[in-house]
Amino acid sequence: MTKLEEILEFNKIFIENKEYEIYKTSKEPDKKILILSCMDTRLTDLLPRALNIKNGDVKIVKNAGASIMHPFGSVIRSIIVAVYEFNVDEIFVIGHHSCGMCNLNTDSLLNKILDRGVSIETIETLENGGIDIKKWLHGFDSVEKSIEDSVNLIKKHPLIPKELIVHGLVIDPETGKLDVVVNGY
Ligand code: ZN
């Protein structure tokens, strides 16, 4: 059975048994919070449980490293929609220890891209077009510093209201323990 078949088969039974009923809620986040966090597999269930978050409580935006790559990229866009359309008034940027984006070896990653059949010419064309691939793939050297930078970027963004509260935290991906890096109050 393929992964798709396996998921579709499970899904059919899930619907038949009306297992969705316990998750019923609205698209308005009850706690008026948006969390920006990392796609790390260890956080999928651990993060909401360790923060007492259930379906309907918060908006969650995830990517590799809980990073904001660009002031007008998709993360800031999501935050702006959450703030103005869904009344979010506090943002929690939550990075984590032993993140794959911390000290990421971009040389090794680029070699893997080449090994999988992407040509060096393609890389060069992108580089000539002004895309610094290694810089773009690079994560961060310190999770705390990365979180501080993200908090500052959100706070100083020209489209973000001054009263928005932005916190920065680090979560332990084994225990769920939170440490505050930036207290937004
Ligand atoms: Zn991570």
Side-chain angles (χ1 to χ4, degrees):
M1 206 190 297
T2 65
K3 288 170 199 170
L4 176 62
E5 285 165 349
E6 201 177 298
I7 283 175
L8 290 176
E9 189 164 301
F10 178 90
N11 182 254
K12 197 165 167 268
I13 296 159
F14 181 88
I15 303 299
E16 277 168 9
N17 294 344
K18 296 188 176 175
E19 287 179 53
Y20 51 83
E21 282 184 344
I22 54 165
Y23 299 104
K24 266 196 182 146
T25 179
S26 79
K27 59 185 176 183
E28 300 288 332
D30 293 338
K31 293 188 176 177
K32 298 185 178 183
I33 286 171
L34 177 141
I35 292 171
L36 168 60
S37 192
C38 180
M39 66 181 189
D40 194 290
T41 49
R42 294 167 292 180
L43 301 179
T44 304
D45 209 21
L46 179 68
L47 185 141
R49 288 187 185 265
L51 274 68
N52 190 28
I53 286 162
K54 62 178 194 322
N55 219 35
D57 280 347
V58 303
K59 299 278 185 202
I60 301 183
V61 177
K62 284 188 167 188
N63 64 21
S67 330
I68 303 177
M69 298 292 292
H70 194 280
F72 290 91
S74 70
V75 171
I76 291 289
R77 182 166 168 262
S78 301
I79 290 173
I80 284 170
V81 171
V83 168
Y84 292 105
E85 294 292 325
F86 295 100
N87 301 314
V88 160
D89 55 16
E90 294 195 28
I91 309 285
F92 288 66
V93 179
I94 308 180
H96 67 99
H97 299 298
S98 76
C99 183
M101 294 307 283
C102 193
N103 298 313
L104 182 80
N105 185 334
T106 45
D107 286 322
S108 154
L109 176 53
L110 195 55
N111 280 331
K112 286 176 189 166
I113 293 173
L114 294 168
D115 284 348
R116 294 283 286 270
V118 175
S119 71
I120 189 75
E121 288 76 23
T122 301
I123 303 294
E124 282 165 2
T125 305
L126 291 170
E127 298 267 354
N128 292 336
I131 296 164
D132 185 340
I133 304 274
K134 278 192 197 168
K135 194 177 166 215
W136 178 65
L137 290 171
H138 182 72
F140 42 81
D141 304 319
S142 149
V143 67
E144 286 86 1
K145 173 78 169 55
S146 167
I147 290 165
E148 264 180 53
D149 290 347
S150 296
V151 168
N152 288 332
L153 195 151
I154 298 167
K155 286 296 286 180
K156 288 179 182 154
H157 197 280
L159 299 179
I160 295 286
K162 290 285 158 273
E163 68 274 16
L164 186 73
I165 296 160
V166 189
H167 309 288
L169 301 101
V170 186
I171 191 167
D172 184 319
E174 304 296 330
T175 65
K177 182 180 184 292
L178 288 170
D179 289 310
V180 178
V181 178
V182 180
N183 180 333
Y185 297 123

